[in-house]
Amino acid sequence: MSLSIKESDLAEWQLLDRRQHSVFTRKQLRAFGVSYAALRSNIDAGRWQRVHRGVIALFSGPLPRESRIAAALLYADLPAVLSHRTAAQEWGWYPVDDGAIHVTVPYGTSHKPQRDVVIHRSRAFKHIQSSYEPPRTSRADTVIDLAAAEPSEEEAARTLLEVASANRVGADEIRVRMEERRPYRYQARLERAVRLLGEGLTSLLETRYFLNVERAHGIPSGLRQVPVAAFGRKLIEDCAYENIGVRLIVRLDGRAYHSDAETAFRDRRRDNAAELSGTARLVYGWQDVNRNPCAVAREVMTVLRRKGWQGPTMRCDRCIGP
């Protein structure tokens, strides 16, 4: 490609070319002196390609992800930010794929969805502040968007809990953004999910235990992140059922093995303290909870019953089967 860019404009052109990954709007090209005839000629010759309405890639062939993102943002125009699944991919939460680019713009804009671009309009866009490159929603905003996009309030709550706990997005951070971004779908249900997150669901494993073992089988929710004194040390247990009068601790261990002496020592202290206090304990890892939560639920219920709890439980969809 050969363009006659004024020497006085060359530095700005090169900067935009790098920042926008060789994707420009027609308006930008005209500002640099590219005529409509030159634009049409390059497109007809296959040297350039039209990506979206008014957005041109100054090269031929498939667009790399960076150029697809730049094209989507240029089409939506500023202020526009990556959001939903695309923002989550930029945060490193989801694998990058060739799916549509999700972009959020202020409510009332007239942009229509394009091929490979999903446009979201937000009434609370003024509260979405992005200082990232490329522009994208904050971690807390991304969690809220992913949850609110689910087809049901139950799935929305699950998504909020799982995404936030897996990526260490704090309950306080999400709560502040939710207060600033009203209204949104499933408000009451998401607020309850954030409260649960704030009560101690600190990992994806703990969240899966809460959702797939406790909630799915009608087991009362235990206390989270319970401090215990063990031989002069203050240690933390993941889940305890003293709130329903049962001395049972459920320990959730996401590690495949204990790789350091301090961790092994801590766990021995917790085991010994539980034994000396007459507290039952069950230990589960990722494979237990994720692959067979029904078996975990049966074991937990067995101990709860043995210790005197007689409340109702239920079978989940997995228990019942197809």
Side-chain angles (χ1 to χ4, degrees):
M1 176 195 69
S2 177
L3 285 175
S4 299
I5 304 299
K6 295 179 182 178
E7 188 173 348
S8 59
D9 294 336
L10 189 58
E12 183 181 358
W13 170 271
Q14 292 172 339
L15 176 63
L16 276 180
D17 187 56
R18 289 194 302 271
R19 180 181 295 169
Q20 298 176 181
H21 303 280
S22 297
V23 178
F24 288 77
T25 65
R26 284 187 301 191
K27 183 178 180 180
Q28 288 175 327
L29 292 173
R30 287 197 301 270
F32 283 105
V34 179
S35 67
Y36 176 80
L39 172 63
R40 189 75 262 167
S41 175
N42 278 286
I43 292 177
D44 290 343
R47 291 185 291 269
W48 296 355
Q49 56 184 308
R50 179 183 182 276
V51 185
H52 306 304
R53 182 178 180 181
V55 180
I56 311 298
L58 307 189
F59 55 89
S60 60
L63 271 67
R65 176 179 170 81
E66 293 81 3
S67 297
R68 293 178 61 229
I69 285 174
L73 289 170
L74 287 171
Y75 168 73
D77 204 0
L78 294 176
V81 295
L82 302 177
S83 63
H84 296 77
R85 185 173 183 85
T86 306
Q89 290 171 338
E90 290 298 299
W91 286 119
W93 301 349
Y94 294 162
V96 171
D97 55 33
D98 294 327
I101 304 298
H102 290 258
V103 176
T104 290
V105 298
Y107 189 83
T109 56
S110 59
H111 292 88
K112 295 181 179 180
Q114 297 285 294
R115 180 175 58 87
D116 294 334
V117 179
V118 178
I119 301 291
H120 303 269
R121 294 175 175 82
S122 173
R123 295 180 184 274
F125 192 90
K126 63 182 179 180
H127 298 294
I128 299 176
Q129 300 174 354
S130 175
S131 57
Y132 315 104
E133 188 60 39
R136 61 185 180 272
T137 50
S138 70
R139 286 161 49 87
D141 284 318
T142 304
V143 171
I144 295 168
D145 287 340
L146 290 170
E150 293 289 2
S152 72
E153 65 175 18
E154 188 63 31
E155 290 176 82
R158 174 181 286 272
T159 292
L160 187 145
L161 289 169
E162 291 194 346
V163 174
S165 59
N167 299 288
R168 299 188 178 280
V169 184
D172 289 342
E173 185 181 357
I174 297 173
R175 188 179 295 111
V176 168
R177 299 303 296 130
M178 288 173 70
E179 290 174 354
E180 294 176 344
R181 288 187 49 183
R182 301 169 188 263
Y184 46 83
R185 298 174 74 199
Y186 316 132
Q187 178 176 325
R189 189 67 184 86
L190 292 181
E191 286 176 348
R192 290 200 297 273
V194 173
R195 284 198 297 272
L196 285 169
L197 192 67
E199 290 170 2
L201 296 177
T202 61
S203 71
L204 182 57
L205 177 57
E206 292 173 18
T207 299
R208 290 283 175 88
Y209 178 83
F210 167 74
L211 292 170
N212 297 341
V213 176
E214 287 184 338
R215 173 171 287 182
H217 296 89
I219 297 172
S221 180
L223 301 175
R224 259 65 192 188
Q225 305 303 307
V226 180
V228 294
F231 303 95
R233 289 193 174 200
K234 182 180 178 181
L235 303 175
I236 300 294
E237 293 289 6
D238 298 314
C239 181
Y241 289 95
E242 59 194 57
N243 56 315
I244 59 170
V246 176
R247 303 187 74 174
L248 168 63
I249 286 169
V250 171
R251 194 171 299 156
L252 300 166
D253 191 347
R255 296 156 300 183
Y257 58 90
H258 293 167
S259 57
D260 61 90
E262 176 61 26
T263 298
F265 174 77
R266 182 200 64 191
D267 287 348
R268 287 199 301 272
R269 295 289 84 187
R270 292 196 302 179
D271 281 342
N272 291 349
E275 184 65 30
L276 290 170
S277 68
T279 300
R281 59 200 177 280
L282 295 170
V283 182
Y284 300 106
W286 176 257
Q287 289 189 343
D288 303 312
V289 174
N290 198 49
R291 293 185 178 181
N292 200 350
C294 303
V296 173
R298 286 193 296 271
E299 292 180 0
V300 172
M301 285 187 282
T302 296
V303 176
L304 291 177
R305 301 283 193 217
R306 183 185 299 158
K307 292 284 187 175
W309 181 76
Q310 298 300 322
T313 58
M314 62 186 183
R315 301 175 68 194
C316 75
D317 292 341
R318 293 191 190 191
C319 297
I320 298 171

